[in-house]
């Protein structure tokens, strides 16, 4: 429809338009005028964002420790290496699941900056945009807890 017809005030009241088309036109016009308010992320979505930040850190730490053990002269070096490979596989699997869920929920996470005491990430969740910050000490504590949980889960499954 041309701009002349759209804004002249006659098009909406014209008898040339069928009643059902007039209703559709008015509904479409009202929808365009009402801005869509982005919905805040849920608790589950915020946890996914946090996991998408922490799991790569955990994977890096386990990989670094595995490399250090590989270069050492420990007598149980092979056991530690195999255990760390199983651990990394499980972490990588969880990271893949988190990324799939983020993609399904249309959530994107971007690293903003690293300041001495905190890490900042920007995220976009269904049009809602905000910043997520995690203090390094909190991240270390959470990483330590999660690695312990992964290790205990790994040995719990081997006991069965």
């Amino acid at each position: 429809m041309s701009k002349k017809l759209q804004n002249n005030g006659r098009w909406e009241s014209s008898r040339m338009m069928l009643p059902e088309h007039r209703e559709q036109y008015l509904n479409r016009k009202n929808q365009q005028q009402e801005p869509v308010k982005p919905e805040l992320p849920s608790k589950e979505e915020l946890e996914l964002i946090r996991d998408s930040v922490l799991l790569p850190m955990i994977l890096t730490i386990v990989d670094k420790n595995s490399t250090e053990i590989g270069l050492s002269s420990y007598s149980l070096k092979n056991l530690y290496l195999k255990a760390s490979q199983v651990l990394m596989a499980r972490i990588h699997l969880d990271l893949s699941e988190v990324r799939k869920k983020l993609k399904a929920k249309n959530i994107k996470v971007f690293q903003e900056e690293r300041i001495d005491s905190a890490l900042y990430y920007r995220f976009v969740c269904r049009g809602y945009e905000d910043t997520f910050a995690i203090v390094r000490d909190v991240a270390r504590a959470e990483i330590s807890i999660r690695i312990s949980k992964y290790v205990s889960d790994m040995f719990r499954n081997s006991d069965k």
Side-chain angles (χ1 to χ4, degrees), residues 1-14 16-17 21-22 24-33:
M1 175 183 347
S2 73
K3 288 186 178 183
K4 285 182 180 180
L5 290 176
Q6 203 171 30
N7 296 327
N8 70 5
R10 294 182 188 147
W11 179 255
E12 292 89 8
S13 63
S14 171
M16 293 173 60
M17 189 183 302
H21 294 152
R22 178 177 161 76
Q24 289 174 355
Y25 173 75
L26 291 175
N27 285 340
R28 189 177 327 131
K29 190 175 175 182
N30 288 338
Q31 287 175 354
Q32 290 173 353
Q33 291 175 350

Side-chain angles (χ1 to χ4, degrees), residues 14-146:
S14 171
R15 292 182 185 260
M16 293 173 60
M17 189 183 302
L18 292 173
E20 59 269 11
H21 294 152
R22 178 177 161 76
E23 186 177 321
Q24 289 174 355
Y25 173 75
L26 291 175
N27 285 340
R28 189 177 327 131
K29 190 175 175 182
N30 288 338
Q31 287 175 354
Q32 290 173 353
Q33 291 175 350
E34 297 172 12
V36 177
K37 294 181 181 177
E39 187 179 327
L40 293 173
S42 67
K43 182 181 177 186
E44 176 189 339
E45 291 167 337
L46 290 173
E47 288 173 356
L48 283 173
I49 292 168
R50 184 191 63 203
D51 289 348
S52 74
V53 168
L54 290 177
L55 286 173
M57 291 181 200
I58 295 171
L59 198 55
T60 302
I61 289 169
V62 173
D63 185 40
K64 183 180 174 192
N65 287 338
S66 177
T67 302
E68 289 174 3
I69 290 171
L71 297 174
S72 72
S73 61
Y74 294 139
S75 58
L76 296 175
K77 176 170 72 170
N78 289 334
L79 172 67
Y80 295 140
L81 287 175
K82 289 188 193 276
S84 64
Q85 288 171 353
V86 170
L87 194 59
M88 285 191 296
R90 180 62 195 164
I91 296 166
H92 187 68
L93 184 67
D94 286 350
L95 182 59
S96 297
E97 287 178 31
V98 166
R99 287 181 177 159
K100 284 178 188 174
K101 288 179 183 178
L102 286 174
K103 188 173 184 177
K105 292 177 181 276
N106 197 20
I107 301 172
K108 294 182 173 65
V109 182
F110 309 97
Q111 183 173 353
E112 282 282 303
E113 57 185 325
R114 290 181 178 223
I115 299 179
D116 292 338
S117 62
L119 304 167
Y120 292 91
Y121 294 85
R122 184 173 57 88
F123 68 89
V124 180
C125 177
R126 295 180 312 274
Y128 178 80
E129 195 170 327
D130 203 355
T131 302
F132 169 76
I134 187 162
V135 179
R136 287 185 187 267
D137 293 336
V138 173
R140 282 187 192 118
E142 182 69 24
I143 288 169
S144 177
I145 290 169
R146 291 204 183 188

